[in-house]
Structures are given as C-alpha cells and as structure tokens.
Amino acid sequence: MHMRATMWAWWFHTLLYAHLCRSHAARWRDATCNLASDLAHLSQPTPGWDGAYPRQMAMGPMQADEMLLLFGLVRSSAVARVLEIGGLQGTSAYNFLQALRCKHGGPVAPMVITVDINPVHRWESHLVTHRTLQKDATLLTMADIGGEAVDAILLDCHAFYASQHILLNVFDRGLLSANGFLFLHDTG
C-alpha cells in the first residue's frame, strides 16, 4: 500500500510539474518567473526541524506535496490575492509568494496576506507583497484585506472551533471572491 501511494504521489507530481512547464513556457524567459528556482524551496529542509526531517516527512508544517499542489493551482489560475489564516514560520506564505511571482506587473497586484493571532514571519524582500496582520481571524473585515475579496484562502489555524467561526466570518463578510479557492490544512 505504501509503495502504491508513493508511486501515485510521484506520478501526480510529474504530471503537475509537466503541466506547469507547458503552461508557463513563454514566461520562463522572464527572470522573475523561473519554475525551477520558484520551486527550489520544496527541496529544502523544513525550517525549525534542524534538517532532521525532509519536508515531506515533517508532521505539522505543510509538506512538499501539499505545497506543490497549492503552488500549481495558484500559479496556473487567475489567483492574484491570497489570504492565509495561520502563519507560524511562513513556509506556506513563501510558497504562495513564489507561485505569484509570474503575476507581478499584471492587472492585479499579487499579494499574500497572513493573519494569525500570534506574531508570524513576514517576507520583506520578496518581489510579491507579503502583509502580516496579528489579529483574531474571526474579526477580519474587508478593510483588513485591502477592501477587496481575495481569490484564495488557506485555512491553517489548527483548531476546529476557530476554523468554523472563521469560515462563518469569511462568508458573512464576502471576504472570498465568488470563484475563489478555499484550501484547508490541519483545521482540527
């Protein structure tokens, strides 16, 4: 069973990588959009784990296959603005920033907004804007996210009760665009 799951994961990653290469071949000439370098972070050790665990083996932080899937969906869709609920070390935010690099200079300024009740890492020197907000996400308003609904939300706050209330807030206040993506990770 484990071998079959491993083969499926390898096959899926290969297809997704091939799709990304084909769909962005023209952008490879642009120095801000290089798929190989934009995905390099997925082969790095998981931050905070002292390199003891490869990113795919870490429990808790987003794993490489999850990050690759999100990268591919964001990179190959119309997503320009991402709201991340729960940030910790900033690895998933960085993944979104890398996915949005090709959209820099487009009709909508790409941006990742990370909201957490605790202080989180902010990527200051990235081409794409990364805003952080220390706030209870159940209290988020449209003004907190720049006055415009986001295209994708990653719900990664690790608590079912909080996740439930955050979702009510997102839908009640129209924080997610009508065709937006909602991604769930470790929601309790």
Side-chain angles (χ1 to χ4, degrees):
M1 180 66 173
H2 178 68
M3 178 69 118
R4 183 178 292 164
T6 302
M7 292 297 289
W8 165 248
W10 176 84
W11 180 77
F12 174 75
H13 291 144
T14 303
L15 284 178
L16 182 59
Y17 186 79
H19 167 73
L20 288 171
C21 290
R22 280 193 307 275
S23 65
H24 295 285
R27 295 181 181 168
W28 275 52
R29 292 184 292 275
D30 184 349
T32 64
C33 188
N34 183 310
L35 189 58
S37 65
D38 289 351
L39 287 170
H41 65 285
L42 297 182
S43 63
Q44 302 300 315
T46 304
W49 293 81
D50 299 326
Y53 299 96
R55 184 172 296 283
Q56 190 59 24
M57 302 294 287
M59 299 296 288
M62 193 166 288
Q63 296 179 354
D65 59 350
E66 297 167 306
M67 289 172 51
L68 180 61
L69 175 65
L70 294 179
F71 180 98
L73 289 170
V74 169
R75 181 82 145 225
S76 63
S77 69
V79 171
R81 299 178 71 240
V82 176
L83 174 63
E84 175 189 34
I85 310 293
L88 196 57
Q89 297 167 335
T91 55
S92 53
Y94 188 77
N95 189 57
F96 285 127
L97 291 167
Q98 291 295 92
L100 292 169
R101 285 174 62 91
C102 289
K103 299 177 183 193
H104 182 75
V108 177
M111 176 185 293
V112 175
I113 306 163
T114 302
V115 179
D116 199 300
I117 202 159
N118 299 306
V120 294
H121 180 79
R122 183 166 58 105
W123 298 96
E124 296 179 21
S125 61
H126 201 279
L127 181 65
V128 176
T129 301
H130 182 215
R131 289 185 43 222
T132 58
L133 180 61
Q134 186 175 350
K135 183 174 187 169
D136 181 343
T138 62
L139 304 175
L140 271 179
T141 65
M142 191 65 82
D144 291 328
I145 60 170
E148 182 181 343
V150 297
D151 305 309
I153 296 176
L154 171 63
L155 193 56
D156 189 14
C157 64
H158 301 262
F160 176 76
Y161 179 79
S163 299
Q164 185 179 30
H165 282 71
I166 290 165
L167 283 174
L168 289 172
N169 184 38
V170 163
F171 295 124
D172 286 347
R173 296 187 179 169
L175 302 180
L176 181 63
S177 65
N179 294 320
F181 291 104
L182 180 60
F183 306 120
L184 306 175
H185 181 261
D186 291 344
T187 56

